[in-house]
Amino acid sequence: MTNIVLPPATIGIIGGGQLGQMMVLSAKAMGYKVGVLDPTPQSPAGQVSDFQIVAHYDDANALESLSQRSDILTYEFENVDMTALAQHKTILPQGTDLLRITSNRLIEKTFIRDRAAVPVAEFMAVNSPEDFRIAVKKITLPAILKTVNGGYDGHGQWEVNQLADIDSILTDFPTQPLILEQRVQFNQEVSIMVTRDAQGKITKWPVSENVHVNHILKTSLVPANVTDTVSEKIGVIATNIATALSLRGVLGIELFVNGEDIWVNELAPRPHNSGHYSIEATNVSQFEGHIRSITGLPLPAISLYQPTLMVNLLGDELEQARHDFAEHPEWHFHDYGKSAIKHDRKMGHITVLGQENIQKLQNWSQTHEQRDV
């Protein structure tokens, strides 16, 4: 096989959050050296990497330094300076086109609909109050107005459910480019992780059923409670998107399900929060899969050991989990090592395997929801 980057080569990761941390841990276990670029000293990924460059992501000199010290580059989030990345000669298997598509909601939705030929909810570009007035007449309410770039965990979004919402938004209209998306009627939110190796072979993880609270992922249950037909349809959707992207690295695909109807919601050009369960519950985690894909290594078929639940620890839930950890030998407890606890911030997660442990963790989570901090 050609185009394989083997250990002990150095992988440079742009972004030092928890996704980067779990990438580092997988890469280090395989014998790679890892460097991280992140503006926060002792970032979660920096704590476990060989070196961290403390600088902002758009710092050209810092990117150059990371590039020179790395044999291969990857990223753990969407909002990366594509122009700066494109100037470096270090191998970037994911490329910048993936970032261009997934960092802009309008481009992303158009790509999914037109290039991948996959269902999405109705949408329209909105660049002015007049555009907004036209869009709400053409797209059936309820809908969501979102910024085209940036925004996550509910930020940069405005619900448009009735005329009063339209008037409220027009009173203080956002100045950045926007997209109005129809809110489809669904009964389940699900996701699937997919990757593609250097030879074009596509590998998929099981479908996860997700619950969000205040637009933030709270739990992921695997396998999702969907029919075999729906699961197969989602697998085809993942394959179509990965093929259309010429994907390298892991891609997270969020979807809405209503009976047999499926719509793609969003793409994430990296491992995804709802795939964290794979660290303990599958033979190859999404993070190892990401490292294998970008370095050119093959992947086996993915198998799930047991039904699994992952619960995000938000805000001060982390402190309660630290306190209770000694009483729960069934927990796979992940503390991201973030320096400050903030409300609605993802501070860690817990994964359990087996139906009995799933019920116990659900009960614990419902009892210890985060308080204002």
Side-chain angles (χ1 to χ4, degrees):
M1 293 176 117
T2 58
N3 302 320
I4 296 178
V5 179
L6 292 170
T10 298
I11 299 172
I13 301 177
I14 301 167
Q18 62 265 24
L19 294 174
Q21 182 185 73
M22 289 177 264
M23 283 186 200
V24 174
L25 292 171
S26 284
K28 293 292 291 178
M30 297 163 70
Y32 291 98
K33 298 189 183 305
V34 186
V36 171
L37 170 62
D38 193 275
T40 304
Q42 283 293 294
S43 65
Q47 294 171 29
V48 295
S49 63
D50 293 281
F51 65 90
Q52 177 181 341
I53 297 171
V54 180
H56 288 283
Y57 308 119
D58 59 357
D59 185 321
N61 291 331
L63 276 170
E64 177 64 25
S65 178
L66 180 67
S67 178
Q68 289 182 350
R69 298 175 67 178
S70 303
D71 298 292
I72 187 170
L73 292 176
T74 187
Y75 40 79
E76 66 129 26
F77 69 112
E78 291 89 323
N79 299 316
V80 178
D81 189 327
M82 288 175 277
T83 303
L85 263 185
Q87 294 173 353
H88 296 290
K89 295 181 180 179
T90 305
I91 302 168
L92 181 68
Q94 293 155 281
T96 56
D97 198 45
L98 178 62
L99 281 176
R100 180 188 66 82
I101 292 168
T102 57
S103 64
N104 182 298
R105 289 188 174 92
L106 186 60
I107 295 174
E108 179 181 276
K109 293 281 186 182
T110 303
F111 173 88
I112 295 168
R113 182 191 65 193
D114 297 346
R115 289 274 304 281
V118 167
V120 294
E122 289 184 63
F123 64 92
M124 285 186 66
V126 173
N127 294 305
S128 67
E130 184 58 29
D131 284 351
F132 181 54
R133 292 187 182 96
I134 294 170
V136 294
K137 291 178 181 178
K138 292 187 175 181
I139 292 181
T140 305
L141 299 184
I144 306 176
L145 185 66
K146 299 179 181 179
T147 56
V148 164
N149 302 103
Y152 63 94
D153 289 347
H155 300 290
Q157 298 185 15
W158 298 265
E159 293 192 7
V160 189
N161 298 320
Q162 53 194 347
L163 293 177
D165 296 328
I166 298 171
D167 294 336
S168 176
I169 292 169
L170 286 169
T171 300
D172 186 19
F173 197 76
T175 56
Q176 61 267 63
L178 304 163
I179 180 173
L180 185 69
E181 300 177 10
Q182 183 186 26
R183 186 192 288 274
V184 297
Q185 296 299 313
F186 62 91
N187 51 33
Q188 289 169 298
E189 294 180 78
V190 303
S191 59
I192 187 171
M193 308 302 116
V194 60
T195 193
R196 178 177 167 275
D197 68 16
Q199 286 70 46
K201 177 191 171 188
I202 290 173
T203 300
K204 292 164 287 194
W205 280 261
V207 178
S208 167
E209 184 170 354
N210 306 318
V211 173
H212 290 77
V213 177
N214 298 325
H215 303 285
I216 302 170
L217 180 67
K218 183 57 187 170
T219 65
S220 293
L221 179 68
V222 188
N225 184 27
V226 297
T227 65
D228 290 343
T229 300
V230 167
S231 184
E232 289 169 8
K233 283 184 179 180
I234 291 171
V236 171
I237 287 170
T239 296
N240 289 349
I241 292 174
T243 301
L245 287 169
S246 297
L247 180 67
R248 293 288 296 280
V250 163
L251 179 78
I253 305 175
E254 296 182 77
L255 311 101
F256 298 134
V257 175
N258 187 15
E260 300 289 300
D261 296 324
I262 305 166
W263 303 265
V264 173
N265 179 32
E266 288 186 344
L267 306 180
R270 44 155 176 83
H272 189 265
N273 191 175
S274 64
H276 289 355
Y277 74 89
S278 62
I279 297 172
E280 290 86 19
T282 60
N283 56 319
V284 175
S285 76
Q286 64 166 344
F287 300 101
E288 182 181 343
H290 183 81
I291 299 301
R292 282 177 173 267
S293 176
I294 64 170
T295 58
L297 293 168
L299 284 89
I302 303 300
S303 58
L304 179 72
Y305 299 137
Q306 294 184 70
T308 301
L309 178 69
M310 187 281 301
V311 171
N312 268 334
L313 298 171
L314 305 177
D316 66 351
E317 291 171 354
L318 175 68
E319 294 181 324
Q320 186 68 49
R322 285 170 171 168
H323 180 270
D324 294 346
F325 185 26
E327 301 172 10
H328 291 277
E330 74 279 8
W331 284 6
H332 297 280
F333 177 50
H334 296 256
D335 183 335
Y336 303 150
K338 293 184 177 180
S339 57
I341 291 176
K342 298 178 182 177
H343 190 72
D344 281 346
R345 191 182 193 190
K346 295 170 185 171
M347 304 300 300
H349 73 267
I350 299 168
T351 300
V352 295
L353 280 64
Q355 202 58 53
E356 182 180 346
N357 292 330
I358 286 173
Q359 186 62 58
K360 289 164 64 176
L361 181 56
Q362 286 173 331
N363 293 340
W364 181 91
S365 180
Q366 292 166 3
T367 302
H368 298 293
E369 293 179 352
Q370 70 172 333
R371 305 179 302 273
D372 290 334
V373 291

